[in-house]
């Protein structure tokens, strides 16, 4: 992400690593996002029968919104590319997961793979009660400090983006947020922006660099629970209500360190559980060589794993399908985000912002 809070070696930013975000399907449903014809088309909002959507997801149906594309912002694109990355749409579904489906089991997730070595598809359920889930499909950007309302207005009028990620909290959040208030959230959402909340929580004990908050083997569960509760509190204070997906930012670390991996997974599960218990969806941002790979390899039947996966793979490909770094069966059904380019200084409507570019096909904040 742009001007990332935690310093990382250059190879970690540019070696094609990826992160992931998952919205869980078992017992829950997402309405298919409406496909628009261009970057500024906000699409439509649809309310879809949850059982029907769940059936489509379980049957492995491929949403049209996941067609691959590679057009850059501002460039012309084929119709398939527009659907995958330049089109903007939202969908809302009433999704209910049974407590018996999502509340069983416990303990740390174990890494599991299929016979061919690929990760098994994620099948865990979401929050143990009904929640309204909003899905956005289109181009998004993230930047360390939320832009002013005037810049957001200028970009909404002339940029190819319709989604924006914002850092709502966490002790490792590195940038001040003078613009990020409940009023700003309401104004930008009313203007048509789809917001993607990020929480920079505790970081792995084996990670290089300095962090204000580290995960410890003895406090991973309690720290994850308290940070998860804090994430929900901050989202609520900004007007992002139940059914919103909040994304946990986990930076790169040594994934060969088994003890470190165990601590990270314990923390992630506790963080996710805290969000689920409060009716929020738990997303995850990480790198394909480490943080996202750890989650991708974890046993998908263990409760309270991430619901949606946002992966950082700097290949310039604005698709959540083409170049997906994990098994194609993982996080399908509008549960992915792809950060495909970083540190891009762009100007629209006279306003310049340095952003990271994201192709999005997943859940976002529910406002209002």
């Amino acid at each position: 992400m742009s001007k990332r809070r935690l310093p990382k070696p250059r190879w970690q930013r540019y070696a094609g690593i990826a992160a992931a975000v998952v919205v869980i399907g078992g017992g829950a449903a997402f309405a298919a996002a409406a496909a628009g014809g261009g970057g500024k088309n906000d699409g439509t909002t649809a309310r879809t029968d949850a059982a029907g959507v769940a059936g489509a997801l379980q049957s492995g149906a491929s949403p049209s919104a996941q067609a691959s594309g590679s057009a850059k912002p501002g460039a012309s694109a084929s119709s398939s590319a527009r659907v995958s990355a330049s089109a903007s749409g939202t969908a809302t579904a009433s999704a209910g997961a049974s407590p018996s489906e999502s509340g069983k089991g416990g303990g740390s997730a174990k890494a599991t793979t299929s016979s061919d070595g690929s990760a098994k598809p994620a099948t865990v359920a979401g929050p143990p009660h009904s929640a309204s889930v909003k899905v956005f499909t289109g181009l998004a950007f993230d930047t360390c400090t939320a832009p002013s309302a005037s810049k957001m207005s200028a970009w909404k009028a002339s940029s190819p983006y319709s989604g924006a990620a914002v850092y709502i909290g966490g002790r490792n959040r590195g940038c001040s947020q003078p613009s990020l208030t409940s009023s700003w959230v309401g104004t930008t959402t009313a203007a048509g922006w789809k917001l993607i909340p990020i929480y920079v929580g505790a970081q792995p004990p084996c990670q290089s660099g300095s962090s204000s908050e580290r995960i410890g083997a003895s406090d991973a569960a309690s720290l994850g629970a308290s940070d998860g509760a804090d994430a929900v509190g901050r989202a609520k204070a900004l007007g992002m209500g139940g059914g919103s997906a909040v994304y946990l930012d986990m930076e790169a670390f040594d994934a060969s360190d088994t003890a470190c991996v165990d601590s990270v997974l314990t923390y992630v599960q506790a963080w996710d559980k805290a969000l689920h218990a409060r009716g929020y969806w738990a997303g995850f941002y990480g790198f394909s060589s480490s943080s996202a790979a750890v989650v991708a390899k974890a046993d998908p039947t263990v409760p309270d794993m991430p619901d949606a996966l946002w992966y950082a793979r700097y290949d310039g490909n604005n698709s959540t399908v083409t170049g997906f770094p994990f098994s194609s069966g993982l996080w399908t059904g509008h549960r992915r985000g792809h950060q495909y380019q970083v540190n891009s200084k762009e100007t629209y409507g006279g306003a310049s912002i340095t952003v990271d570019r994201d192709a999005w096909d997943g859940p976002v904040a529910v406002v209002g």
Side-chain angles (χ1 to χ4, degrees):
M1 295 181 180
S2 178
K3 298 180 181 177
R4 191 160 284 291
R5 302 130 314 278
L6 304 172
K8 62 170 62 65
R10 196 175 179 84
W11 68 269
Q12 290 177 352
R13 292 271 304 167
Y14 300 103
I17 46 186
V21 180
V22 177
V23 175
I24 355 187
F30 293 96
K40 298 308 300 172
N41 185 341
D42 283 337
T44 59
T45 300
R47 295 198 175 272
T48 307
D49 178 74
V53 177
L57 295 180
Q58 291 170 359
S59 68
S62 176
S64 60
Q66 290 190 356
S68 65
S70 59
K72 300 294 189 296
S76 60
S78 65
S79 58
S80 61
R82 289 193 184 104
V83 169
S84 122
S86 295
S88 169
T90 59
T92 306
S94 176
S98 165
S100 63
E101 292 175 311
S102 62
K104 292 181 180 179
S108 298
K110 304 295 183 181
T112 30
T113 57
S114 302
S115 58
D116 63 357
S118 61
K120 293 180 180 179
T123 57
V124 287
H129 52 78
S130 295
S132 176
V133 180
K134 179 176 288 186
V135 169
F136 163 65
T137 299
L139 284 178
F141 73 84
D142 62 269
T143 189
C144 200
T145 298
S148 65
S150 61
K151 286 188 174 181
M152 292 295 286
S153 178
W155 274 45
K156 190 67 183 70
S158 57
S159 83
Y161 303 104
S162 289
V166 291
Y167 292 89
I168 66 169
R171 287 181 59 187
N172 285 308
R173 181 177 68 173
C175 293
S176 61
Q177 304 292 339
S179 296
L180 188 56
T181 64
S182 58
S183 175
W184 182 94
V185 168
T187 298
T188 55
T189 300
W193 286 102
K194 312 304 183 297
L195 300 181
I196 304 161
I198 317 165
Y199 185 89
V200 194
Q203 295 298 305
C206 59
Q207 185 185 80
S208 60
S210 59
S211 297
S212 299
E213 183 180 58
R214 291 272 188 175
I215 302 168
S218 62
D219 67 353
S222 60
L223 193 57
S226 60
D227 280 356
D230 182 56
V232 169
R234 290 176 180 273
K236 282 185 176 180
L238 290 171
M240 301 172 179
S244 295
V246 181
Y247 294 85
L248 176 64
D249 184 329
M250 189 68 66
E251 295 298 313
F253 66 96
D254 181 5
S256 68
D257 187 326
T258 302
C260 188
V261 168
D262 287 345
S263 293
V264 168
L265 288 174
T266 298
Y267 174 85
V268 169
Q269 285 177 275
W271 193 89
D272 293 353
K273 184 175 182 179
L275 268 72
H276 291 164
R278 293 162 175 80
Y280 284 68
W281 294 85
F284 186 88
Y285 172 96
F287 293 80
S288 65
S289 61
S290 59
S291 44
V294 163
V295 170
K297 293 176 182 178
D299 189 336
T301 63
V302 174
D304 298 313
M305 290 302 288
D307 307 323
L309 191 69
W310 181 4
Y311 62 98
R313 185 179 179 89
Y314 308 132
D315 55 5
N317 189 359
N318 60 357
S319 169
T320 60
V321 177
T322 302
F324 184 65
F326 306 112
S327 169
S328 61
L330 288 168
W331 305 302
T332 58
H334 309 293
R335 296 181 290 170
R336 297 177 183 172
H338 176 198
Q339 185 183 71
Y340 64 89
Q341 184 172 335
V342 293
N343 296 327
S344 175
K345 185 174 182 179
E346 303 176 26
T347 302
Y348 299 101
S352 297
I353 309 173
T354 298
V355 302
D356 297 341
R357 296 176 176 178
D358 303 282
W360 202 265
D361 187 23
V364 294
V366 176
V367 179

